[in-house]
Amino acid sequence: MLTDNEIERLRKAIIATVASPVIGSIEDYAWEAIFHYVKDIPLSDPALGRSKLLYDAVDITTQTGWSMKSLQLNNLTPGNTFFFVIQRADVIKKANQLGFPGLTELSSPQELGAAIIQHWNEKILTSQLRRYTFKKYTRY
């Protein structure tokens, strides 16, 4: 949740960003920079070899992290609704099921990455199987 002050900083940051002739849309690093500005947390220079680790933004003093996503809409008019779904790979809760017993937030990046890949591979295979079964047994 954003405070009133953060909402005002967000409004100003969006206006400043879209006013720039070199920024075509608010995504990727531009969105990260805006979020860091809104939350008043330091932002590392991307040219200095920054590593995203598990979060796109981390407030070191509160040890809070945010994973930020952006959504570009061509025609957003008041009253229109849309769905924005982000699937998450909660590999810590599914550690045993994925074959990674003992996996924690402090596990090595290699082990966390392997568990995430295993999670999404299983999602893809399950999705393909459902799609194949649906096509095979459904008449159009």
Side-chain angles (χ1 to χ4, degrees):
M1 200 71 171
L2 297 177
T3 66
D4 289 342
N5 183 46
E6 290 171 338
I7 291 169
E8 179 60 18
R9 289 171 67 89
L10 176 61
R11 187 185 72 76
K12 288 179 179 178
I14 290 172
I15 290 170
T17 303
V18 296
S20 171
V22 296
I23 298 177
S25 63
I26 299 176
E27 56 188 319
D28 192 43
Y29 188 73
W31 173 238
E32 290 183 39
I34 288 171
F35 190 84
H36 281 76
Y37 169 74
V38 167
K39 288 291 189 179
D40 198 24
I41 55 178
L43 178 64
S44 60
D45 184 341
L48 296 178
R50 115 190 132 137
S51 171
K52 290 189 176 193
L53 298 176
L54 297 177
Y55 300 105
D56 296 315
V58 177
D59 185 340
I60 295 170
T61 57
T62 63
Q63 296 185 342
T64 302
W66 296 267
S67 178
M68 300 171 297
K69 308 295 181 221
S70 64
L71 175 66
Q72 298 293 317
L73 297 174
N74 293 331
N75 297 312
L76 180 62
T77 55
N80 284 1
T81 58
F82 60 90
F83 290 104
F84 184 44
V85 178
I86 301 171
Q87 286 196 354
R88 305 217 181 272
D90 192 346
V91 296
I92 305 302
K93 286 183 183 173
K94 292 181 166 184
N96 289 334
Q97 176 187 339
L98 295 170
F100 294 87
L103 188 73
T104 71
E105 292 87 352
L106 301 176
S107 296
S108 72
Q110 292 80 9
E111 191 175 16
L112 288 166
I116 290 169
I117 290 170
Q118 179 66 29
H119 168 84
W120 289 114
N121 281 342
E122 288 182 11
K123 283 275 204 183
I124 290 167
L125 292 173
T126 301
S127 178
Q128 286 175 336
L129 181 61
R130 283 188 192 138
R131 194 171 301 129
Y132 172 76
T133 303
F134 179 74
K135 287 182 179 178
K136 184 176 178 183
Y137 297 107
T138 304
R139 292 184 183 189
Y140 294 95

